[in-house]
Amino acid sequence: MNDMTPIAKVQTTLKDWETDQEVRWCPGCGDYAILKAVQRTLPELGADPAKTVFISGIGCSSRFPYYVESYGFHTIHGRAPAFATGLKLANPELDVWLVTGDGDGMSIGGNHTMHVLRRNLNTQILLFNNEIYGLTKGQYSPTSRLGTVSPTTPLGSVDRPATPCAFALGAGGRFIARAYDVSKELPAVLKAAHAHQGAAFVEIFQNCIVYNKDVFADFTEKAGAAMGQLWLKHGEPMLFNKGTKGIALDTETLALKVVDVEDGDWQAAGVRVHDVKNRALAHLLVEMPFGPFPMALGVIYDDPRPTFEAAVIEERARASAGKTANLAKLLSKGQTWTVD
């Protein structure tokens, strides 16, 4: 989305966003659900296929541009943010979506992910996190858990995993959200990301059916959903397990804690109300260890500031105001030499 001239909304259907390309992921892959969620969301946003671009790097998730009927780039491993930056500066009117994975975006592309967030380019960044390298046959990734057994960690990984949302916050991200592939709430999260002016980072937990099957089942499956999921909504108390438990702040340790809620009286239990503009709270939420705490999902942080491309355009306008373009004069300016 553009923060200078709003893109005119057009009427489309899901079919308008489907391509004639065969979708080539493993049967049962979570990417299918994410693709459908995006294709269903785009018409509701009034998005224009002629002004929409999907940019990806390398990996299973990065096949995404082939399957969305819009413009797209399938680029270099980890470098999708660089392409997105160039494209947005060249044509700020475009609605740019960046699709990456935990390997592409957090390993070889970690520095590029950091800079696109720091600069605050107006783009939606969808990071599919399956905690494994799927395309290259199951090696452990930067988000793989301790003990993960893979071809490159046959005795179990001893690397402490990266937390994508904590990384994004630390890099200066102004919109941080989480969802999972088959969640009914995913379209709402995508809409919120699109509405944000600036770099909107969405981590999507994605089930790799072949190399890391059901790694998120403890909170995504129905049996564990009530206790395992904390869906955050601005201005509402942070409740889970059907309202019987909540998240409170321990004022002595300045750490979050789980409290019991009796008879629906969450105020008496000290449950916090979610505030998407509270950056300190966002840090605490994304760092909550799953098990003792539920998984924080939904919009965690949303506090926009001026975008990178808006600042560049404004700077260029000031520099060129009242001047006439003269390439010959520019080339002869400064030190010159005549070669006989």
Side-chain angles (χ1 to χ4, degrees), residues 47 94 110 193 209 258 268 274 277 301 317 338:
L94 293 176
I209 198 75
V258 174
H274 185 47
K277 293 188 182 297
Y301 182 62
T338 301

Side-chain angles (χ1 to χ4, degrees), residues 307-321:
T307 66
F308 179 64
E309 69 273 17
V312 170
I313 291 169
E314 182 181 350
E315 181 182 59
R316 288 173 179 171
R318 287 199 309 268
S320 61

Side-chain angles (χ1 to χ4, degrees), residues 18 122 169 213:
E18 294 179 338
N122 201 7
L169 268 173
K213 184 179 179 181

Side-chain angles (χ1 to χ4, degrees), residues 11-203:
Q11 187 172 351
T12 60
T13 67
L14 183 150
K15 290 291 184 183
D16 294 318
W17 295 93
E18 294 179 338
T19 71
D20 60 359
Q21 299 296 299
E22 178 188 0
V23 182
R24 300 180 64 183
W25 287 311
C26 300
C29 175
D31 287 354
Y32 286 98
I34 301 171
L35 174 62
K36 280 301 176 187
V38 170
Q39 290 172 329
R40 288 192 178 102
T41 301
L42 290 167
E44 295 179 16
L45 295 172
D48 184 352
K51 294 185 177 180
T52 302
V53 186
F54 281 82
I55 301 178
S56 65
I58 296 295
C60 295
S61 63
S62 293
R63 297 194 60 80
F64 216 86
Y66 295 106
Y67 309 139
V68 181
E69 190 61 51
S70 68
Y71 290 102
F73 287 98
H74 187 185
T75 71
I76 307 169
H77 205 184
R79 272 65 175 183
F83 284 82
T85 302
L87 186 64
K88 194 69 176 174
L89 289 177
N91 189 351
E93 301 301 318
L94 293 176
D95 184 9
V96 178
W97 297 71
L98 199 160
V99 181
T100 185
D102 47 302
D104 182 67
M106 295 296 294
S107 183
I108 191 170
N111 57 329
H112 291 280
T113 303
M114 175 185 74
H115 292 306
V116 77
L117 289 163
R118 174 184 62 81
R119 286 171 169 159
N120 199 35
L121 187 78
N122 201 7
T123 181
Q124 295 77 237
I125 304 165
L126 310 184
L127 186 143
F128 299 7
N129 182 10
N130 55 20
E131 297 187 3
I132 208 76
Y133 278 101
L135 187 66
T136 52
K137 308 300 183 284
Q139 298 87 349
Y140 86 114
S141 83
T143 60
S144 295
R145 302 174 196 185
L146 286 169
T148 296
V149 175
S150 78
T152 45
T153 53
L155 301 179
S157 173
V158 296
D159 273 5
R160 295 196 175 275
T163 304
C165 285
F167 172 89
L169 268 173
R174 308 297 295 187
F175 180 100
I176 311 295
R178 273 200 195 122
Y180 60 93
D181 47 16
V182 297
S183 168
K184 293 180 181 179
E185 301 289 338
L186 178 55
V189 172
L190 296 174
K191 290 177 187 176
H194 190 265
H196 177 82
Q197 299 297 322
F201 184 88
V202 183
E203 178 185 13

